[in-house]
Amino acid sequence: MEIRRQDIHNSDIPLVCRACEARHGGVCGVLTAEQLTELNKHSSRHRLDSGAEVIGQGETVVNYSNIMRGVVKLTKVMADGRQQIVGLQFAPDFLGRPFLAESAISAEAATESEICNFPRNVLDRLVKRTPELEHRLHQQALKELDEARDWMLTLGRKSAQEKVASFLYLIATHIDPESVDMSSFDLPLSRADIADFLGLTIETVSRQFTKLRKENVIRIENNRHVTVPDMDRLMRHAGND
Amino acid sequence: MEIRRQDIHNSDIPLVCRACEARHGGVCGVLTAEQLTELNKHSSRHRLDSGAEVIGQGETVVNYSNIMRGVVKLTKVMADGRQQIVGLQFAPDFLGRPFLAESAISAEAATESEICNFPRNVLDRLVKRTPELEHRLHQQALKELDEARDWMLTLGRKSAQEKVASFLYLIATHIDPESVDMSSFDLPLSRADIADFLGLTIETVSRQFTKLRKENVIRIENNRHVTVPDMDRLMRHAGND
DNA sequence: CCTTTCACTTGATCAAAATCAAATGGCGGC
DNA sequence: GCCGCCATTTGATTTTGATCAAGTGAAAGG
């Protein structure tokens, strides 16, 4: 679990990496100064508008990314257009499916975001030579698997009200991991996205928001800003007692 | 993707491992004869009755396992008893969550099964020294993640009929990976388990079976044995076109 | 052989969420 | 300020699957 990192002189690592959020929590944290320099040669940073696609379902993966800022949604679409969000990724998560050429999901910025791209083959080569890096990716895969399974319980067994409360709790606890106060935050998703995440319609999501608001579990301003006066009460509404 | 394995003289590896199914497809396949011998010193094989618990939600993980025969279901339970199966594992899958002391799910034999147990700390130590082993576990975690996300789409967006058809398709394609003919198989789960896997009630599952039977998509004998005359037709009913 | 049990099926009714259909309410552009 | 555009909310109705309640049928045990 504990990852050793050599003490790196800031001057040894690429300029752009020095200020990078993703370098510490993210995969780059396990790389040496040399490796970071090498990877950085091939990497490029991009600003993404909300809604911008990083990769599409069925496309060939040419890049992996680190999320430096913002929230990225992972979605699956059926042939007839029905859609399900199967994961949300927050900075400084790694974005990509190692060891597979074709993406089974599409990834799209949910909010205005910033990512750092690097070529698939460069990282794949680096992974082969760096067990620490594979370990780090393995850890993230397991974390995502745990989250996916939690969400399966939500999708399969919870009521609409519990689903919406579960979503709010998820966002409260993930949107700003630094912050001590999780009781006030902006929703990174539209009502339509929330519906796609919860397996509901936007009307049902809206009604449940209204209901939670009327029961004073949450307060809402400007449709996107949520305040939770009592996090335990929200948790109980989410069915997590 | 390609995993090199040294040419091992059968006589160098433990007797019980020689005939083991899990050794080739499973994690043991990447171990050297010495490592296998070492691991085998601490491992033990067990027969599990259908319904026997391997580990319970919230328990401390002391063992990992390989599934040698049978089907194991991974479930999550809510405080009020609502239950969701979050994964099915087939031989020769690895069973366990590396790097976490407490299990977030429970694992239970769905059919009469056989597993090979080994202590958590022995494998954890082996993983640290053997990048190939971590790579193999990483691969399986990614496979399970892909499967979990596929199932999230099923849980969130498919109708009861599509869910049941999706389940049948999943079993047809996983129950016996050797077999060319996937059109006839025994269901490893009861109607109650299927309901818990699909986020439905047993009554709804039963009605959808009846409906698929009446539409000649499947035939059923003795409640558990299913024949699929046209796999593509089943796939269409599952919403996977 | 008959009873009991258990898994499953079938039927009738109910409730939750989907669907269809209008409001409402910011917000940017003119 | 007014208009038109979206996202969101609210309302009426329908549909799907859940719930409640009996059956059925096969296997185990007396």
Side-chain angles (χ1 to χ4, degrees), chain A residues 158-160 199-201 203-204 207-208:
Chain A
K158 290 188 184 174
S159 69
L200 299 171
T201 60
E203 293 94 333
T204 299
R207 280 185 243 276
Q208 296 306 329

Side-chain angles (χ1 to χ4, degrees), chain B residues 166-214:
Chain B
S166 297
F167 169 74
L168 291 169
Y169 186 74
L170 175 80
I171 298 303
T173 51
H174 284 72
I175 198 70
D176 188 6
E178 323 295 275
S179 157
V180 230
D181 177 30
M182 306 181 295
S183 67
S184 199
F185 50 89
D186 279 321
L187 294 176
L189 302 188
S190 67
R191 297 291 187 274
D193 281 340
I194 297 170
D196 281 343
F197 194 31
L198 295 170
L200 299 171
T201 59
I202 67 171
E203 293 95 331
T204 299
V205 169
S206 178
R207 280 185 244 275
Q208 297 306 329
F209 268 105
T210 303
K211 211 155 155 227
L212 288 170
R213 190 164 41 71
K214 287 190 174 155

Side-chain angles (χ1 to χ4, degrees), chain B residues 64-76:
Chain B
Y64 298 130
S65 318
N66 278 324
I67 303 174
M68 298 169 69
R69 188 170 48 80
V71 179
V72 172
K73 57 184 188 190
L74 309 179
T75 67
K76 278 183 168 274

